[in-house]
Amino acid sequence: MKKHIEQADIYFKFKGEKKLTEADEIMFTAAKNYLKGVMNGKTAIPTKAWKTEYAKLTAERKTLNQRYLALKDEVKEAEQIRKSVYTILRREQREQPPHRTQDMEV
């Protein structure tokens, strides 16, 4: 989406210009060819729709990234708790004297 927008901006920047430098002509032609490939025969370039969609996707990515980081912190905390519980259990097992079972005679 970002590449589509960049190429559309380049295309519209140079479209209709009578005299272009060689570098500008190359950029314009590359943008035109790129857009021709992604437009699937359509003639109107939906730059506004692309920008709207890009902004929406960027905001969604930001929200998801924040949720991911929060969940990552929760996992770290849960892992630390798990390690602490196992450490305490191992320590208690070492401190208890071994249990001996005595045979009872009837």
Side-chain angles (χ1 to χ4, degrees):
M1 188 68 61
K2 186 176 180 180
K3 179 103 171 156
H4 290 8
I5 294 167
E6 290 171 353
Q7 294 302 308
D9 288 344
I10 292 168
Y11 174 79
F12 286 119
K13 178 180 176 183
F14 296 116
K15 182 182 177 188
E17 292 288 323
K18 299 295 181 200
K19 290 188 177 187
L20 294 175
T21 65
E22 185 178 347
D24 291 345
E25 181 68 37
I26 291 170
M27 288 176 60
F28 174 73
T29 303
K32 182 178 174 182
N33 291 336
Y34 175 86
L35 292 170
K36 185 178 179 183
V38 298
M39 294 302 296
N40 296 324
K42 297 176 185 172
T43 55
I45 300 172
T47 307
K48 185 176 180 181
W50 286 346
K51 288 181 180 181
T52 302
E53 181 71 12
Y54 182 75
K56 178 184 164 194
L57 291 172
T58 301
E60 186 177 343
R61 187 181 104 220
K62 183 178 179 182
T63 300
L64 290 172
N65 192 43
Q66 288 171 340
R67 286 178 50 200
Y68 165 76
L69 292 175
L71 290 171
K72 188 176 174 183
D73 289 342
E74 285 182 34
V75 168
K76 281 183 185 179
E77 185 177 335
E79 182 61 23
Q80 185 60 43
I81 290 169
R82 184 191 67 78
K83 285 180 182 179
S84 296
V85 167
Y86 283 125
T87 300
I88 291 168
L89 290 174
R90 280 194 302 268
R91 187 177 308 139
E92 286 179 355
Q93 287 175 349
R94 278 184 265 150
E95 291 174 359
Q96 292 178 352
H99 294 280
R100 293 186 183 186
T101 59
Q102 296 179 355
D103 294 334
M104 296 181 66
E105 294 181 23
V106 183

